[in-house]
Amino acid sequence: MSRPLSRGRVLLASVATLFSLGALHPASAVTATQPQGKARVTVAVLSLDGGSRKPSLYGQDALYDTASIVKVDILAALLLQAQDAGRHLTTRERALAEPMIRNSDNAAANALWREIGRAPGLEAANKRLGLTSTKGGPGAKWGLTRTTASDQIRLLLSVFDGAATSKTGSPLNKESRTCIQTLMSRISSDQAWGVSTVSGAGYVLKNGWLQRNTSGLWDVNSVGRVTADGHRYLVTVLSDGSTSMSDGVSLVERAVRQAVTAIART
């Protein structure tokens, strides 16, 4: 009985060490998979099958650019505003929300970012959603919203768990949660990477990627709900500093696989 638990603890410690060094890689392939530049990555994993609502965190819970994962947050803010007004989304709003999530359409995000009131509107919604460290991007630059892995878990809890907090539950009603879940389950096939790497067909997700003009380095992020070996998890992985998008995707997927494996073995 003690041997599997011991292996799980060793693996958890190993993963934590790798994240703290900012270079997650298989121990047998250190040289081949070492990220170039100053890449860093943080993963938060929360089991939906357990009683705890505190995620396991690998890496420093630091601020990262959201890139396009903020589109989930934009939609949540829009839905909260519609709820407050006692209405459903308009035909126009639905026509913008679908490509914004499914295809990561930036023009649709621009329009809905303006509609929610840009950063002040996002931050007002996030206060209700329980996000404590997320700050909206300046002006029209929604992709430069800054967030943490643990804040993104809080957002996912509001979307995927109606009892997101023990006191009040999610501020998003069932219809709003279903809207976001449905769109995240229909992501275009060319964007099915990131957290989905551990999940086969049982995933819903949103990815984000952005090359920074100032450095030329890439932000690559992925958030969602996955099913691995019959267990459901909320997973957020944030990264920056990769020398290419493909390097960032590889780093994110490697980090997700090792973090979920570590959780599954404890």
Side-chain angles (χ1 to χ4, degrees), residues 7-233:
R7 285 202 304 266
R9 284 175 175 164
V10 169
L11 181 56
L12 279 168
S14 175
V15 171
T17 300
L18 290 167
F19 274 98
S20 69
L21 293 173
L24 184 68
H25 46 70
S28 61
V30 173
T31 302
T33 60
Q34 178 76 29
Q36 300 178 28
K38 298 180 179 179
R40 60 175 185 156
V41 61
T42 302
V43 180
V45 182
L46 176 65
S47 172
L48 289 175
D49 300 327
S52 174
R53 281 297 179 264
K54 184 176 181 180
S56 297
L57 188 69
Y58 302 99
Q60 185 179 5
D61 201 24
L63 289 168
Y64 290 81
D65 301 327
T66 57
S68 285
I69 63 168
V70 76
K71 292 169 182 174
V72 176
D73 205 0
I74 292 172
L75 180 53
L78 178 69
L79 288 162
L80 277 179
Q81 291 178 1
Q83 286 179 204
D84 292 344
R87 65 174 180 84
H88 303 292
L89 294 187
T90 66
T91 300
R92 172 183 174 274
E93 288 168 341
R94 289 195 300 271
L96 291 169
E98 181 168 353
M100 179 178 73
I101 300 299
R102 293 188 63 187
N103 307 110
S104 206
D105 186 273
N106 289 338
N110 291 340
L112 292 180
W113 178 248
R114 292 191 298 268
E115 183 162 341
I116 67 169
R118 296 186 173 182
L122 187 80
E123 291 168 11
N126 284 345
K127 185 174 182 180
R128 297 166 62 183
L129 293 165
L131 280 64
T132 59
S133 302
T134 301
K135 183 174 177 58
K141 297 179 180 180
W142 42 262
L144 296 185
T145 296
R146 301 279 281 169
T147 195
T148 63
S150 58
D151 254 13
Q152 290 301 299
I153 288 287
R154 295 182 185 105
L155 176 59
L156 292 176
L157 269 173
S158 290
V159 171
F160 291 100
D161 186 354
T165 68
S166 59
K167 294 182 179 180
T168 60
S170 173
L172 294 165
N173 63 28
K174 184 176 181 179
E175 180 181 347
S176 294
R177 296 196 306 274
T178 299
C179 174
I180 302 174
Q181 292 172 26
T182 299
L183 293 178
M184 291 178 69
S185 71
R186 297 175 179 173
I187 293 295
S188 297
S189 59
D190 63 335
Q191 296 180 26
W193 48 266
V195 298
S196 61
T197 192
V198 299
S199 194
Y203 62 84
V204 292
L205 81 158
K206 181 71 190 79
N207 295 325
W209 58 98
L210 173 68
Q211 186 177 28
R212 294 305 308 270
N213 292 332
T214 52
S215 65
L217 300 176
W218 286 79
D219 302 324
V220 180
N221 306 320
S222 185
V223 301
R225 186 189 67 194
V226 300
T227 302
D229 295 326
H231 297 284
R232 300 172 305 141
Y233 304 95

